[in-house]
Amino acid sequence: MTATVPTTAALQTARVAVLGYGSQGRAHALNLKDSGLDVVVGVRRNGPSWEKARADGLKVAEPAEAVKEADLVAVLTPDMVQPALYRDAIEQNLKPNAALLFAHGFNVHFGQIAPRKDIDVILVAPKGPGALVRREYEKGHGVPCIYAVHQDASGKARDKVLAYAAGIGGARAMLIETNFGEETETDLFGEQAVLCGGATELVLAGFETLVEAGYQPEIAYYEVLHELKLIVDLLHEGGLAKMHQYVSETAQYGDLTRGPRVVDAGTKARMKEILDEIRDGRFAKEWVGEYQAGNGNYRSLKQKDLAHPIEQVGASLRSRMPWLNPATPAVTTVPAPAADAPLKRSA
């Protein structure tokens, strides 16, 4: 954790190129611009992101052109397109002693990108989605960020990474130093074992258990998915203490006595296996191979998820809860899920 609050001073005379204009790209570019930095967005000419960035008042250029004049290039495109972007637009165009910044260390850590030795390689990862990064900045606040220096060719990489973090608002909240390996491996583990993979599988198993026991799918949906947000919000706001404070004693006792039977030592052992696969590169090799082969298995698995009956039940119920999406009018009559819809996803 830094002892003093960093500023953008190290980048005040620099040109910053932001490659990609999705959720994080837009937030970073706008925050950096509003922090007084010289920003250009590198995107495909005349595509939707090109027009969106221009409409937001930002300078735009093709990626290779944006890189040529940049002192810092922030790579904020999806992981799997970054190696080609580095090869085609960055490697031959980035100036010596310039900085190459990532928001996730996947490609550098797992060797999909081997940065030139004469450039700085740094990382700033906000711990929140782009919309939140932008919204908190506009309020005068910031989202905590983790940062790392992987390669310091200029001797000023640390100054640059802290200035960038300050420019997007992270220094207003908290900055935590890490390295590319720790950021990458913990991020992947969190996604796979808890936040995405673990949580969704727990929800689906709970839904199936209730429906197979004869309970109404709608009731099951509310109990295992809809109300999950209530608990997550309490955990997010105040940890285990706030969750225990705001749920009933019956819920607390059930949590303390039954929870360890659902997530037990065997679960933790399997989590360790998942972490081992991340750390030794097996997951990265598998995912890169899947992407290069056309994503057929990935698309098939995703479709099985989206075809689960909980999705049909959920769509029907959510259509009657307009507060979940105020822009969408409530639906008063929704057809019931097909009676013969399969309950479980196929293996």
Side-chain angles (χ1 to χ4, degrees):
M1 211 176 293
T2 57
T4 59
V5 178
T7 70
T8 60
L11 294 177
Q12 279 299 322
T13 61
R15 164 67 65 89
V16 178
V18 174
L19 305 187
Y21 204 65
S23 173
Q24 290 290 343
R26 182 175 186 270
H28 288 220
L30 290 173
N31 289 5
L32 292 168
K33 177 177 178 290
D34 289 349
S35 293
L37 301 185
D38 180 13
V39 179
V40 59
V41 175
V43 289
R44 182 170 53 84
R45 181 177 296 276
N46 297 327
S49 293
W50 178 284
E51 297 303 328
K52 186 175 183 180
R54 290 186 63 185
D56 285 338
L58 291 157
K59 291 176 284 192
V60 295
E62 291 276 3
E65 292 302 313
V67 169
K68 286 178 181 178
E69 300 301 320
D71 301 289
L72 185 151
V73 173
V75 183
L76 301 178
T77 56
D79 289 337
M80 291 299 101
V81 306
Q82 289 181 11
L85 180 66
Y86 177 77
R87 182 187 65 242
D88 298 339
I90 299 172
E91 187 171 23
Q92 301 303 317
N93 294 311
L94 190 59
K95 297 185 294 188
N97 291 320
L100 184 63
L101 179 143
F102 296 88
H104 182 39
F106 183 97
N107 284 301
V108 172
H109 182 58
F110 290 118
Q112 299 304 301
I113 293 176
R116 285 174 13 207
K117 297 300 182 183
D118 63 339
I119 60 174
D120 298 334
V121 182
I122 56 181
L123 177 146
V124 174
K127 303 316 292 177
L132 181 67
V133 172
R134 180 59 178 161
R135 185 165 66 248
E136 288 301 298
Y137 180 94
E138 291 179 307
K139 291 179 181 178
H141 307 312
V143 171
C145 294
I146 60 176
Y147 72 94
V149 174
H150 178 74
Q151 187 170 286
D152 185 6
S154 70
K156 300 177 180 179
R158 183 177 175 83
D159 293 337
K160 295 175 187 178
V161 75
L162 291 175
Y164 186 97
I168 64 171
R172 298 172 177 176
M174 179 174 62
L175 302 180
I176 301 175
E177 187 168 10
T178 184
N179 57 63
F180 273 52
E182 183 176 56
E183 185 280 330
T184 302
E185 292 168 4
T186 57
D187 184 82
L188 293 174
F189 176 80
E191 292 169 350
Q192 295 173 23
V194 181
L195 305 176
C196 300
T200 55
E201 289 301 317
L202 188 64
V203 165
L204 294 176
F207 179 85
E208 291 171 1
T209 298
L210 287 175
V211 174
E212 288 168 359
Y215 298 103
Q216 296 179 67
E218 293 79 6
I219 300 296
Y221 175 88
Y222 277 122
E223 293 302 329
V224 304
L225 193 155
H226 178 80
E227 294 190 18
L228 182 63
K229 182 182 187 303
L230 306 178
I231 302 303
V232 169
D233 284 349
L234 292 173
L235 292 170
H236 184 257
E237 293 164 7
L240 295 172
K242 186 166 185 177
M243 188 274 289
H244 280 294
Q245 180 183 355
Y246 282 91
V247 302
S248 69
E249 288 185 329
T250 303
Q252 292 179 58
Y253 183 75
D255 162 14
L256 297 170
T257 61
R258 269 58 177 180
R261 290 168 56 184
V262 176
V263 179
D264 58 11
T267 306
K268 188 173 179 181
R270 290 186 292 276
M271 284 183 167
K272 186 179 183 302
E273 292 174 2
I274 289 171
L275 181 58
D276 288 343
E277 291 172 4
I278 291 169
R279 297 178 72 179
D280 66 18
R282 277 179 286 169
F283 170 77
K285 182 178 180 181
E286 178 184 326
W287 173 221
V288 170
E290 173 68 21
Y291 181 81
Q292 292 175 344
N295 279 333
N297 185 51
Y298 160 69
R299 288 196 298 268
S300 175
L301 291 171
K302 184 176 179 179
Q303 184 53 43
K304 290 174 183 175
D305 237 17
L306 299 179
H308 193 281
I310 199 171
E311 282 293 278
Q312 302 172 46
V313 173
S316 171
L317 295 176
R318 289 190 298 270
S319 71
R320 305 183 190 194
M321 294 183 279
W323 60 88
L324 296 178
N325 186 359
T328 303
V331 176
T332 56
T333 303
V334 180
D340 58 350
L343 177 60
K344 294 184 178 179
R345 295 170 298 163
S346 54

